[in-house]
mmCIF file of all heavy atoms in Angstrom:
data_model
loop_
_atom_site.group_PDB
_atom_site.id
_atom_site.type_symbol
_atom_site.label_atom_id
_atom_site.label_comp_id
_atom_site.label_asym_id
_atom_site.label_seq_id
_atom_site.Cartn_x
_atom_site.Cartn_y
_atom_site.Cartn_z
ATOM 1 N N SER A 232 13.361 -19.434 9.198
ATOM 2 C CA SER A 232 12.124 -18.915 8.622
ATOM 3 C C SER A 232 12.398 -18.317 7.247
ATOM 4 O O SER A 232 13.431 -17.712 7.005
ATOM 5 C CB SER A 232 11.499 -17.876 9.542
ATOM 6 O OG SER A 232 12.409 -16.829 9.785
ATOM 7 N N ALA A 233 11.426 -18.495 6.355
ATOM 8 C CA ALA A 233 11.573 -18.026 4.985
ATOM 9 C C ALA A 233 10.446 -17.056 4.654
ATOM 10 O O ALA A 233 9.278 -17.419 4.701
ATOM 11 C CB ALA A 233 11.556 -19.209 4.023
ATOM 12 N N ILE A 234 10.815 -15.808 4.313
ATOM 13 C CA ILE A 234 9.848 -14.821 3.859
ATOM 14 C C ILE A 234 9.733 -14.947 2.354
ATOM 15 O O ILE A 234 10.744 -14.997 1.649
ATOM 16 C CB ILE A 234 10.290 -13.397 4.249
ATOM 17 C CG1 ILE A 234 10.254 -13.233 5.760
ATOM 18 C CG2 ILE A 234 9.417 -12.357 3.565
ATOM 19 C CD1 ILE A 234 10.791 -11.918 6.251
ATOM 20 N N GLU A 235 8.506 -15.013 1.882
ATOM 21 C CA GLU A 235 8.228 -15.100 0.449
ATOM 22 C C GLU A 235 7.207 -14.032 0.088
ATOM 23 O O GLU A 235 6.224 -13.843 0.808
ATOM 24 C CB GLU A 235 7.667 -16.487 0.109
ATOM 25 C CG GLU A 235 7.223 -16.607 -1.336
ATOM 26 C CD GLU A 235 6.278 -17.784 -1.571
ATOM 27 O OE1 GLU A 235 5.365 -18.018 -0.754
ATOM 28 O OE2 GLU A 235 6.458 -18.449 -2.595
ATOM 29 N N ILE A 236 7.436 -13.344 -1.023
ATOM 30 C CA ILE A 236 6.487 -12.368 -1.549
ATOM 31 C C ILE A 236 5.938 -12.946 -2.850
ATOM 32 O O ILE A 236 6.702 -13.344 -3.730
ATOM 33 C CB ILE A 236 7.158 -11.008 -1.856
ATOM 34 C CG1 ILE A 236 8.018 -10.524 -0.696
ATOM 35 C CG2 ILE A 236 6.107 -9.984 -2.276
ATOM 36 C CD1 ILE A 236 7.295 -10.157 0.552
ATOM 37 N N ARG A 237 4.618 -12.990 -2.963
ATOM 38 C CA ARG A 237 3.995 -13.508 -4.178
ATOM 39 C C ARG A 237 2.895 -12.572 -4.649
ATOM 40 O O ARG A 237 2.324 -11.817 -3.853
ATOM 41 C CB ARG A 237 3.436 -14.908 -3.938
ATOM 42 C CG ARG A 237 2.303 -14.949 -2.936
ATOM 43 C CD ARG A 237 1.601 -16.310 -2.918
ATOM 44 N NE ARG A 237 0.591 -16.390 -1.898
ATOM 45 C CZ ARG A 237 -0.639 -15.879 -2.003
ATOM 46 N NH1 ARG A 237 -1.003 -15.253 -3.108
ATOM 47 N NH2 ARG A 237 -1.512 -15.990 -1.022
ATOM 48 N N GLN A 238 2.625 -12.625 -5.930
ATOM 49 C CA GLN A 238 1.530 -11.840 -6.492
ATOM 50 C C GLN A 238 0.213 -12.347 -5.914
ATOM 51 O O GLN A 238 -0.006 -13.545 -5.808
ATOM 52 C CB GLN A 238 1.524 -11.971 -8.031
ATOM 53 C CG GLN A 238 0.760 -10.892 -8.742
ATOM 54 C CD GLN A 238 1.382 -9.513 -8.582
ATOM 55 O OE1 GLN A 238 2.591 -9.367 -8.460
ATOM 56 N NE2 GLN A 238 0.559 -8.498 -8.572
ATOM 57 N N ALA A 239 -0.646 -11.434 -5.512
ATOM 58 C CA ALA A 239 -1.954 -11.821 -4.986
ATOM 59 C C ALA A 239 -2.837 -12.311 -6.134
ATOM 60 O O ALA A 239 -2.679 -11.893 -7.285
ATOM 61 C CB ALA A 239 -2.611 -10.634 -4.295
ATOM 62 N N THR A 240 -3.773 -13.188 -5.801
ATOM 63 C CA THR A 240 -4.751 -13.686 -6.766
ATOM 64 C C THR A 240 -6.148 -13.385 -6.236
ATOM 65 O O THR A 240 -6.327 -13.028 -5.066
ATOM 66 C CB THR A 240 -4.606 -15.207 -6.974
ATOM 67 O OG1 THR A 240 -4.954 -15.873 -5.745
ATOM 68 C CG2 THR A 240 -3.181 -15.583 -7.386
ATOM 69 N N VAL A 241 -7.128 -13.570 -7.086
ATOM 70 C CA VAL A 241 -8.512 -13.313 -6.692
ATOM 71 C C VAL A 241 -8.905 -14.126 -5.468
ATOM 72 O O VAL A 241 -9.718 -13.683 -4.644
ATOM 73 C CB VAL A 241 -9.472 -13.530 -7.888
ATOM 74 C CG1 VAL A 241 -9.570 -15.001 -8.255
ATOM 75 C CG2 VAL A 241 -10.848 -12.937 -7.604
ATOM 76 N N GLU A 242 -8.311 -15.297 -5.297
ATOM 77 C CA GLU A 242 -8.593 -16.125 -4.124
ATOM 78 C C GLU A 242 -8.125 -15.467 -2.828
ATOM 79 O O GLU A 242 -8.528 -15.875 -1.738
ATOM 80 C CB GLU A 242 -7.960 -17.512 -4.270
ATOM 81 C CG GLU A 242 -8.617 -18.391 -5.311
ATOM 82 C CD GLU A 242 -8.192 -18.072 -6.751
ATOM 83 O OE1 GLU A 242 -7.125 -17.423 -6.944
ATOM 84 O OE2 GLU A 242 -8.935 -18.434 -7.670
ATOM 85 N N ASP A 243 -7.275 -14.459 -2.917
ATOM 86 C CA ASP A 243 -6.780 -13.744 -1.745
ATOM 87 C C ASP A 243 -7.683 -12.579 -1.338
ATOM 88 O O ASP A 243 -7.362 -11.854 -0.390
ATOM 89 C CB ASP A 243 -5.371 -13.192 -2.015
ATOM 90 C CG ASP A 243 -4.334 -14.275 -2.198
ATOM 91 O OD1 ASP A 243 -4.295 -15.188 -1.342
ATOM 92 O OD2 ASP A 243 -3.566 -14.204 -3.175
ATOM 93 N N SER A 244 -8.796 -12.381 -1.998
ATOM 94 C CA SER A 244 -9.644 -11.212 -1.740
ATOM 95 C C SER A 244 -10.068 -11.109 -0.285
ATOM 96 O O SER A 244 -10.021 -10.025 0.316
ATOM 97 C CB SER A 244 -10.867 -11.227 -2.656
ATOM 98 O OG SER A 244 -10.472 -11.120 -4.006
ATOM 99 N N GLY A 245 -10.501 -12.207 0.321
ATOM 100 C CA GLY A 245 -10.890 -12.188 1.734
ATOM 101 C C GLY A 245 -9.715 -11.878 2.642
ATOM 102 O O GLY A 245 -9.851 -11.123 3.613
ATOM 103 N N LEU A 246 -8.560 -12.455 2.341
ATOM 104 C CA LEU A 246 -7.344 -12.196 3.113
ATOM 105 C C LEU A 246 -6.958 -10.721 3.013
ATOM 106 O O LEU A 246 -6.620 -10.085 4.018
ATOM 107 C CB LEU A 246 -6.205 -13.084 2.603
ATOM 108 C CG LEU A 246 -4.825 -12.855 3.190
ATOM 109 C CD1 LEU A 246 -4.823 -13.176 4.687
ATOM 110 C CD2 LEU A 246 -3.794 -13.692 2.439
ATOM 111 N N ILE A 247 -7.021 -10.170 1.815
ATOM 112 C CA ILE A 247 -6.682 -8.758 1.616
ATOM 113 C C ILE A 247 -7.630 -7.881 2.422
ATOM 114 O O ILE A 247 -7.190 -6.946 3.107
ATOM 115 C CB ILE A 247 -6.684 -8.401 0.119
ATOM 116 C CG1 ILE A 247 -5.493 -9.081 -0.564
ATOM 117 C CG2 ILE A 247 -6.658 -6.890 -0.090
ATOM 118 C CD1 ILE A 247 -5.524 -9.047 -2.078
ATOM 119 N N LEU A 248 -8.920 -8.178 2.382
ATOM 120 C CA LEU A 248 -9.869 -7.390 3.165
ATOM 121 C C LEU A 248 -9.576 -7.515 4.657
ATOM 122 O O LEU A 248 -9.670 -6.519 5.400
ATOM 123 C CB LEU A 248 -11.309 -7.806 2.856
ATOM 124 C CG LEU A 248 -12.379 -6.993 3.590
ATOM 125 C CD1 LEU A 248 -12.259 -5.501 3.284
ATOM 126 C CD2 LEU A 248 -13.761 -7.509 3.233
ATOM 127 N N ARG A 249 -9.176 -8.688 5.115
ATOM 128 C CA ARG A 249 -8.811 -8.849 6.528
ATOM 129 C C ARG A 249 -7.621 -7.955 6.877
ATOM 130 O O ARG A 249 -7.630 -7.248 7.886
ATOM 131 C CB ARG A 249 -8.475 -10.309 6.833
ATOM 132 C CG ARG A 249 -8.250 -10.549 8.336
ATOM 133 C CD ARG A 249 -7.723 -11.927 8.633
ATOM 134 N NE ARG A 249 -6.259 -11.826 8.663
ATOM 135 C CZ ARG A 249 -5.430 -12.827 8.457
ATOM 136 N NH1 ARG A 249 -5.878 -14.032 8.166
ATOM 137 N NH2 ARG A 249 -4.130 -12.650 8.531
ATOM 138 N N PHE A 250 -6.603 -7.956 6.021
ATOM 139 C CA PHE A 250 -5.436 -7.102 6.269
ATOM 140 C C PHE A 250 -5.812 -5.618 6.205
ATOM 141 O O PHE A 250 -5.321 -4.816 7.001
ATOM 142 C CB PHE A 250 -4.311 -7.411 5.284
ATOM 143 C CG PHE A 250 -3.544 -8.674 5.562
ATOM 144 C CD1 PHE A 250 -3.101 -9.464 4.509
ATOM 145 C CD2 PHE A 250 -3.236 -9.067 6.851
ATOM 146 C CE1 PHE A 250 -2.370 -10.624 4.745
ATOM 147 C CE2 PHE A 250 -2.511 -10.225 7.103
ATOM 148 C CZ PHE A 250 -2.076 -11.002 6.042
ATOM 149 N N VAL A 251 -6.663 -5.234 5.261
ATOM 150 C CA VAL A 251 -7.118 -3.843 5.155
ATOM 151 C C VAL A 251 -7.810 -3.436 6.454
ATOM 152 O O VAL A 251 -7.577 -2.339 6.986
ATOM 153 C CB VAL A 251 -8.048 -3.660 3.936
ATOM 154 C CG1 VAL A 251 -8.791 -2.327 4.000
ATOM 155 C CG2 VAL A 251 -7.264 -3.768 2.631
ATOM 156 N N THR A 252 -8.651 -4.299 6.974
ATOM 157 C CA THR A 252 -9.375 -4.006 8.211
ATOM 158 C C THR A 252 -8.409 -3.894 9.389
ATOM 159 O O THR A 252 -8.526 -2.985 10.224
ATOM 160 C CB THR A 252 -10.447 -5.080 8.474
ATOM 161 O OG1 THR A 252 -11.327 -5.131 7.338
ATOM 162 C CG2 THR A 252 -11.248 -4.773 9.720
ATOM 163 N N GLU A 253 -7.430 -4.798 9.461
ATOM 164 C CA GLU A 253 -6.424 -4.715 10.525
ATOM 165 C C GLU A 253 -5.630 -3.413 10.422
ATOM 166 O O GLU A 253 -5.339 -2.778 11.443
ATOM 167 C CB GLU A 253 -5.490 -5.920 10.471
ATOM 168 C CG GLU A 253 -6.136 -7.228 10.894
ATOM 169 C CD GLU A 253 -5.190 -8.424 10.786
ATOM 170 O OE1 GLU A 253 -3.954 -8.233 10.721
ATOM 171 O OE2 GLU A 253 -5.697 -9.565 10.757
ATOM 172 N N LEU A 254 -5.294 -3.011 9.206
ATOM 173 C CA LEU A 254 -4.578 -1.748 8.997
ATOM 174 C C LEU A 254 -5.436 -0.576 9.453
ATOM 175 O O LEU A 254 -4.954 0.341 10.128
ATOM 176 C CB LEU A 254 -4.191 -1.596 7.526
ATOM 177 C CG LEU A 254 -3.552 -0.268 7.128
ATOM 178 C CD1 LEU A 254 -2.255 -0.024 7.892
ATOM 179 C CD2 LEU A 254 -3.306 -0.250 5.619
ATOM 180 N N ALA A 255 -6.707 -0.605 9.104
ATOM 181 C CA ALA A 255 -7.610 0.478 9.500
ATOM 182 C C ALA A 255 -7.737 0.554 11.025
ATOM 183 O O ALA A 255 -7.800 1.654 11.589
ATOM 184 C CB ALA A 255 -8.982 0.281 8.853
ATOM 185 N N ILE A 256 -7.772 -0.590 11.692
ATOM 186 C CA ILE A 256 -7.813 -0.599 13.162
ATOM 187 C C ILE A 256 -6.549 0.060 13.703
ATOM 188 O O ILE A 256 -6.606 0.908 14.597
ATOM 189 C CB ILE A 256 -7.980 -2.036 13.700
ATOM 190 C CG1 ILE A 256 -9.383 -2.557 13.356
ATOM 191 C CG2 ILE A 256 -7.729 -2.089 15.205
ATOM 192 C CD1 ILE A 256 -9.547 -4.072 13.569
ATOM 193 N N TYR A 257 -5.390 -0.294 13.153
ATOM 194 C CA TYR A 257 -4.122 0.301 13.579
ATOM 195 C C TYR A 257 -4.135 1.818 13.365
ATOM 196 O O TYR A 257 -3.627 2.575 14.178
ATOM 197 C CB TYR A 257 -2.958 -0.337 12.819
ATOM 198 C CG TYR A 257 -1.622 0.283 13.135
ATOM 199 C CD1 TYR A 257 -0.980 0.022 14.345
ATOM 200 C CD2 TYR A 257 -1.001 1.142 12.233
ATOM 201 C CE1 TYR A 257 0.241 0.606 14.650
ATOM 202 C CE2 TYR A 257 0.218 1.725 12.529
ATOM 203 C CZ TYR A 257 0.840 1.456 13.738
ATOM 204 O OH TYR A 257 2.043 2.046 14.031
ATOM 205 N N GLU A 258 -4.733 2.258 12.254
ATOM 206 C CA GLU A 258 -4.776 3.686 11.918
ATOM 207 C C GLU A 258 -5.955 4.403 12.568
ATOM 208 O O GLU A 258 -6.234 5.551 12.243
ATOM 209 C CB GLU A 258 -4.796 3.864 10.401
ATOM 210 C CG GLU A 258 -3.502 3.429 9.753
ATOM 211 C CD GLU A 258 -3.474 3.619 8.250
ATOM 212 O OE1 GLU A 258 -4.530 3.902 7.640
ATOM 213 O OE2 GLU A 258 -2.369 3.480 7.674
ATOM 214 N N LYS A 259 -6.655 3.718 13.474
ATOM 215 C CA LYS A 259 -7.782 4.284 14.212
ATOM 216 C C LYS A 259 -8.900 4.736 13.270
ATOM 217 O O LYS A 259 -9.535 5.775 13.468
ATOM 218 C CB LYS A 259 -7.315 5.436 15.093
ATOM 219 C CG LYS A 259 -6.236 5.033 16.094
ATOM 220 C CD LYS A 259 -5.651 6.243 16.785
ATOM 221 C CE LYS A 259 -4.563 5.905 17.766
ATOM 222 N NZ LYS A 259 -3.338 5.420 17.229
#
Side-chain angles (χ1 to χ4, degrees):
S232 57
I234 293 175
E235 174 198 43
I236 312 293
R237 65 169 176 80
Q238 199 66 31
T240 66
V241 70
E242 290 80 19
D243 294 311
S244 296
L246 174 64
I247 290 168
L248 182 58
R249 187 188 93 203
F250 284 143
V251 166
T252 303
E253 289 178 18
L254 175 60
I256 291 167
Y257 176 75
E258 293 181 349
K259 302 171 181 69

